[in-house]
Amino acid sequence: MANITTDFSAGRKPMPYPNDQCVVPLMFDYALPSGQAYALNDTIELGILPSNTIPVDCFIAYEAMAATGAVSLGVLNTGKTDLDTSASSGGAAWIGATTVSSAGLTRATTPACMKTASSTGNRSLALKVTTALGTPVAGARIIVVVLVRSAP
């Protein structure tokens, strides 16, 4: 299983941070690189959930990414090997297994995203491959938007 990073998760691009109780969108736009294989349980580390913020909603929009395949969205565990299902990270994937063989939009359908607790440190947000992507389409995009607010 591999952990694939992006410019946001590697710190090459800055993350926005909410002031007061304003809601700020964190948007991660990931294009499948040519020749990259995505096996079962691989993770794509998109970026960070900034410290002292609380997510209030999330969704993913995607182009047809492969002939077959599915991904889930959530907080990456500290070992960067799987999505964190502890209570402080919402207790489950924020968005469960979503088939990405055709274009679509999926919004959180459980309260896991909104149940995520504030943390004094940054945490990684990631997609987890729950069904291997068969013949990935180079350049296909997946856009993840997480709405956050400052912790009280």
Side-chain angles (χ1 to χ4, degrees):
M1 123 184 51
N3 180 50
I4 300 147
T5 61
T6 66
D7 286 343
F8 287 111
S9 64
R12 291 185 292 267
K13 287 187 178 179
M15 294 296 304
Y17 191 86
N19 292 321
D20 301 322
Q21 291 298 306
C22 297
V23 173
V24 172
L26 306 178
M27 184 171 149
F28 309 99
D29 188 342
Y30 180 74
L32 298 172
S34 179
Q36 175 71 49
Y38 296 88
L40 176 67
N41 296 324
D42 280 356
T43 56
I44 302 168
E45 188 177 2
L46 300 167
I48 61 167
L49 176 62
S51 62
N52 301 310
T53 61
I54 299 170
V56 296
D57 200 2
C58 61
F59 63 88
I60 56 177
Y62 44 90
E63 297 173 343
M65 296 176 68
T68 59
V71 297
S72 293
L73 172 68
V75 175
L76 193 58
N77 67 14
T78 54
K80 298 188 178 188
T81 58
D82 202 351
L83 297 183
D84 186 354
T85 57
S86 67
S88 64
S89 293
W94 293 359
I95 297 176
T98 301
T99 302
V100 291
S101 57
S102 61
L105 176 95
T106 302
R107 191 172 184 184
T109 57
T110 69
C113 170
M114 292 166 271
K115 290 171 48 181
T116 301
S118 173
S119 173
T120 56
N122 295 334
R123 292 181 284 178
S124 293
L125 296 175
L127 293 169
K128 177 184 176 181
V129 178
T130 54
T131 302
L133 302 185
T135 315
V137 177
R141 295 172 54 208
I142 186 163
I143 299 168
V144 175
V145 177
V146 178
L147 302 176
V148 298
R149 67 174 177 83
S150 294

